[in-house]
């Protein structure tokens, strides 16, 4: 395990279209530039993950809180027409700890870094353990290996349900844009001598969306009803036993997703939409 | 960013974008006989759809997919996820309502378009239907007729002759139209005149329909509203993945 490791000054990018040699030359150019600024890389789960999601946010009067929200993220890449920059490392972070969480700070040539992507991945041997997570969390993530584990509770009046779900799989968040004054701006800009924060934002409330497309509301009722054994803990297996055909036709629509026919598959599909950029900014998940 | 100005008409595109016209065709995607996920072999005798409009949009469809090309990685894309969907600019639109028989290829009105790189399609279903099959569709936006048999030869069960219909109200709209956005687009950039194709995957409409509850009779039985089978049908109709848009260039 790497408790802490310096970021590579110039991680080798994988070529998009050109040759590796060409990309390496661009990279050297990037690292040798005089006019540069700093990019501070952080991640944050915002108030919904740290403090909980109030009933006012749910359409069915539930409220939810996370006791643990483990995510492995990294493999950040940014590029523009002249340069490419990458951070090869991944981090295991518990987003229920107060954030934003520092990941690293790097020096980059000034300019617009218009193409930005990052990944949420199953934990790797080289994944760096962030101070917000502990060794026990790492062991549990390695047992999968998992990319995300969420543990928490949802309540409505006297009703109380717990959940402890882990997910594997990689989601690549590409073409990230930030929202500035209501406008979408691709990537980020580094001014000469300036310092820019790039936040890999995770939206925990998206776990409870009731649609994979278009307008969606937060709901927990169908998840609560999936508790077949009535023990108050809703498992992924119990979610898998709920066919979407048994839910109201105007909820849990699957849009362009194929093969999402039960509630577990639905929640797993939502996992690919957790990742955001600089708060409310979006990325294109692949 | 370039866009047709939608229903308001006009064009706000940049000088680098050109107006083109696209022929528009609609047909069944796949075979009229198929097996569904719940153990039924379906043979369609008829499939009709009331189309209000078709569009090609800049916005990427919802759902994970691999990039199709280098261009796919480089073009500016809209960004979408539940609750935050951005369909992007309209790059092509066919606005003349028409009812179609999906078991044959139907040519619709011409679509006005501008050059650009669509990433998704949008279909609007409209009621009441207009055109050749309006009387058959009546207030419905879709009508299927066919027969379903168990795929397992060891299951001794009678075939089910069925009729499945859906109205805009059953599809959750009170406006007379139903909009299905974020449909997959398999074509390339619009560069010149060509043909916009819509392939409707009826097998996906019926993939989660369990015909067990349909009485085996000599005459066709309608899927009753508020049944599991009809719910499965409505869910299938709402799947954007069931509507595949494509583009063919003129030779």
């Amino acid at each position: 395990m790497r408790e802490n490791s310096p970021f590579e000054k110039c991680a080798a990018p994988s070529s998009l279209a050109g040759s590796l040699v060409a990309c390496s030359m661009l990279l050297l150019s990037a690292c040798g530039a005089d006019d540069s600024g700093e990019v501070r890389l952080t991640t944050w789960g915002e108030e919904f993950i740290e403090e909980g999601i109030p009933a006012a946010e749910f359409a069915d009067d539930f409220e939810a809180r996370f006791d643990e929200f483990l995510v492995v993220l990294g493999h950040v890449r940014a590029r523009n027409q002249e340069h490419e920059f990458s951070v090869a490392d991944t981090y295991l972070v518990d987003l229920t700890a107060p954030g934003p969480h520092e990941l690293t700070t790097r020096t980059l040539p000034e300019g617009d870094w218009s193409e930005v992507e990052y990944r949420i991945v199953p934990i790797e041997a080289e994944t760096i353990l962030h101070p917000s997570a502990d060794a026990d969390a790492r062991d549990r993530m390695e047992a999968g290996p998992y990319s995300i584990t969420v543990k928490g509770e949802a309540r409505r009046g006297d009703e109380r349900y717990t959940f402890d779900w882990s997910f594997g799989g990689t989601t690549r968040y590409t073409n990230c844009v930030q929202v500035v004054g209501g406008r979408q701006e691709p990537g980020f800009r580094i001014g000469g001598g300036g310092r820019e924060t790039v936040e890999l934002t995770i939206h925990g409330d998206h776990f409870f969306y009731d649609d994979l497309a278009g307008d969606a509301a937060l709901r927990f009722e169908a998840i609560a009803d999936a508790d077949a054994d009535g023990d108050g803990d809703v498992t992924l297996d119990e979610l898998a036993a709920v066919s979407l055909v048994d839910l109201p036709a105007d909820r849990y629509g699957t849009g362009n997703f194929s093969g999402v026919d039960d509630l577990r598959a639905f929640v797993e599909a939502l996992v690919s939409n957790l990742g955001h950029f600089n708060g409310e900014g979006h990325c294109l998940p692949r | 960013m370039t866009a047709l100005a939608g229903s308001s008409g006009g064009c706000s595109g940049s000088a680098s974008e050109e107006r083109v016209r696209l022929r528009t065709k609609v047909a069944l995607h796949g075979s009229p006989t198929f097996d569904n996920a719940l153990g039924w072999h379906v043979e369609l005798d008829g499939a009709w759809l009331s189309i209000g409009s078709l569009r090609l949009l800049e916005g990427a469809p919802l759902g994970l997919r691999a990039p199709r090309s280098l261009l796919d990685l480089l073009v500016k894309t809209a960004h979408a996820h539940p609750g935050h969907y951005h369909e992007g600019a309209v790059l092509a639109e066919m606005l003349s309502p028409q009812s179609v028989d999906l078991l044959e290829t139907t040519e619709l009105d011409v679509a006005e378009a501008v050059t650009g790189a669509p990433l998704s399609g949008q279909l609007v279903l409209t009621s009441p239907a207009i055109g050749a099959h309006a009387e058959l569709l009546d207030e419905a936006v879709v009508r299927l007729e066919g027969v379903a048999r168990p795929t397992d030869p060891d299951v001794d069960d009678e075939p089910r002759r069925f009729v499945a219909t859906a109205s805009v109200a059953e599809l959750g709209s009170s406006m007379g139209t139903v909009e299905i956005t974020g449909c997959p687009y398999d074509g390339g950039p619009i560069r010149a005149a060509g043909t916009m194709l819509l392939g409707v995957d009826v097998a996906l409409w019926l993939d989660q329909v369990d015909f067990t509850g349909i009485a085996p009779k000599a005459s066709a039985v309608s899927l009753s509203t508020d049944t599991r089978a009809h719910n499965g049908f409505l869910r299938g109709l709402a799947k954007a993945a069931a509507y595949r848009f494509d583009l063919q260039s003129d030779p």
Side-chain angles (χ1 to χ4, degrees):
Chain A
M1 179 179 72
R2 295 163 66 184
E3 291 290 345
N4 195 4
S5 69
F7 289 88
E8 299 165 26
K9 292 289 185 186
C10 275
S14 61
S15 171
L16 179 65
S19 69
L20 181 61
V21 172
C23 285
S24 298
M25 290 173 68
L26 291 173
L27 203 64
L28 287 170
S29 171
C31 295
D34 293 325
D35 298 324
S36 61
E38 287 190 334
V39 60
R40 172 175 165 256
L41 191 63
T42 68
T43 185
W44 192 28
E46 302 180 318
E47 290 83 357
F48 281 168
I49 291 179
E50 293 181 3
E51 301 169 13
I53 309 168
E57 300 291 334
F58 278 86
D60 55 12
D61 297 326
F62 271 92
E63 58 184 307
R65 73 153 203 270
F66 296 101
D67 298 322
E68 185 172 61
F69 200 116
L70 299 172
V71 59
V72 180
L73 76 177
H75 293 312
V76 179
R77 296 174 69 185
R79 79 180 84 209
N80 57 30
Q81 291 184 335
E82 297 178 359
H83 309 300
E84 178 164 339
F85 146 78
S86 66
V87 175
D89 295 309
T90 60
Y91 303 84
L92 172 59
V93 185
D94 185 347
L95 294 173
T96 59
H101 304 281
E102 299 280 343
L103 299 179
T104 188
T105 297
R106 294 286 300 271
T107 300
L108 294 180
E110 68 173 331
D112 292 320
W113 293 82
S114 56
E115 291 185 45
V116 177
E117 68 170 69
Y118 69 98
R119 299 185 188 206
I120 292 180
V121 299
I123 193 165
E124 302 165 335
E126 299 298 313
T127 294
I128 296 168
L129 185 64
H130 187 271
S132 61
D134 59 22
D136 175 63
R138 183 184 186 96
D139 289 344
R140 285 183 284 119
M141 295 295 277
E142 286 179 337
Y146 299 119
S147 45
I148 292 175
T149 286
V150 290
K151 187 186 296 185
E153 178 182 284
R155 289 176 178 268
R156 182 174 63 181
D158 295 336
E159 299 177 76
R160 175 183 173 277
Y161 299 92
T162 58
F163 54 88
D164 184 355
W165 304 329
S166 293
F167 305 92
T170 295
T171 303
R172 182 178 160 218
Y173 295 94
T174 69
N175 302 72
C176 295
V177 298
Q178 54 183 321
V179 179
V180 180
R183 291 178 49 237
Q184 295 188 355
E185 296 183 356
F188 59 91
R189 173 169 179 74
I190 294 288
R195 183 178 169 90
E196 182 73 17
T197 296
V198 168
E199 181 184 284
L200 314 180
T201 314
I202 304 299
H203 287 184
D205 57 318
H206 291 6
F207 262 117
F208 306 114
Y209 270 147
D210 69 350
D211 205 300
L212 296 180
D215 293 330
L218 301 186
R219 294 182 193 277
F220 194 84
E221 191 164 38
I223 295 171
D225 291 345
D227 181 23
D229 62 8
D231 67 351
D233 183 60
V234 184
T235 67
L236 289 175
D237 286 343
E238 287 174 323
L239 293 180
V242 178
S243 170
L244 297 185
V245 172
D246 292 320
L247 301 176
D250 61 347
R251 296 174 196 168
Y252 295 92
T254 55
N256 191 39
F257 284 77
S258 295
V260 179
D261 299 316
D262 62 61
L263 208 45
R264 175 176 183 159
F266 189 93
V267 172
E268 288 174 341
L270 286 173
V271 169
S272 66
N273 288 308
L274 299 179
H276 286 66
F277 185 68
N278 278 2
E280 292 302 309
H282 305 143
C283 306
L284 184 63
R286 299 186 189 274
Chain B
M1 195 63 200
T2 294
L4 289 167
S7 57
S8 61
C11 178
S12 60
S14 70
S16 63
E17 292 152 343
E18 299 176 12
R19 277 187 170 275
V20 298
R21 304 188 86 195
L22 304 176
R23 298 169 68 193
T24 302
K25 293 181 179 178
V26 180
L28 190 69
H29 179 85
S31 168
T33 64
F34 48 85
D35 294 346
N36 81 1
L38 301 183
W40 292 90
H41 177 75
V42 178
E43 297 176 23
L44 291 177
D45 298 322
W48 299 271
L49 189 63
S50 174
I51 293 174
S53 61
L54 303 177
R55 290 182 177 85
L56 296 180
L57 305 166
E58 273 191 326
L62 301 169
L64 293 177
R65 66 182 172 85
R68 295 188 304 271
S69 64
L70 179 63
L71 180 70
D72 196 8
L73 290 170
L74 296 178
V75 294
K76 179 183 176 185
T77 59
H79 300 267
H81 66 69
H84 296 257
Y85 182 62
H86 295 281
E87 62 188 28
V90 177
L91 297 181
E93 60 183 2
M94 190 292 298
L95 297 173
S96 301
Q98 185 62 270
S99 54
V100 300
D101 177 353
L102 291 173
L103 297 191
E104 55 188 44
T105 299
T106 301
E107 183 155 357
L108 305 178
D109 203 356
V110 169
E112 299 294 335
V114 292
T115 53
L119 290 178
S120 65
Q122 180 199 71
L123 164 72
V124 174
L125 305 178
T126 188
S127 177
I130 291 172
H133 310 288
E135 188 175 348
L136 179 65
L137 281 161
D138 195 17
E139 294 299 314
V141 290
V142 61
R143 178 184 178 92
L144 295 183
E145 296 178 5
V147 58
R149 298 177 174 85
T151 54
D152 185 348
D154 295 332
V155 174
D156 185 17
D157 211 345
E158 296 290 320
R160 266 66 165 189
R161 305 201 71 82
F162 68 90
V163 174
T165 63
S167 66
V168 289
E170 289 170 331
L171 288 165
S173 172
S174 59
M175 302 296 290
T177 59
V178 174
E179 189 177 284
I180 300 168
T181 299
C183 304
Y185 174 70
D186 300 320
I190 301 170
R191 293 195 176 99
T195 303
M196 175 169 63
L197 304 170
L198 169 62
V200 181
D201 189 350
V202 175
L204 206 48
W205 288 355
L206 296 176
D207 188 61
Q208 293 293 307
V209 174
D210 185 352
F211 290 91
T212 306
I214 308 298
K217 294 182 178 178
S219 58
V221 174
S222 292
L223 270 59
S224 300
T225 57
D226 298 327
T227 61
R228 201 165 183 267
H230 197 253
N231 191 10
F233 176 54
L234 294 180
R235 286 184 163 279
L237 288 172
K239 288 182 177 177
Y243 309 92
R244 307 200 67 89
F245 285 79
D246 205 344
L247 181 69
Q248 283 182 346
S249 300
D250 283 347

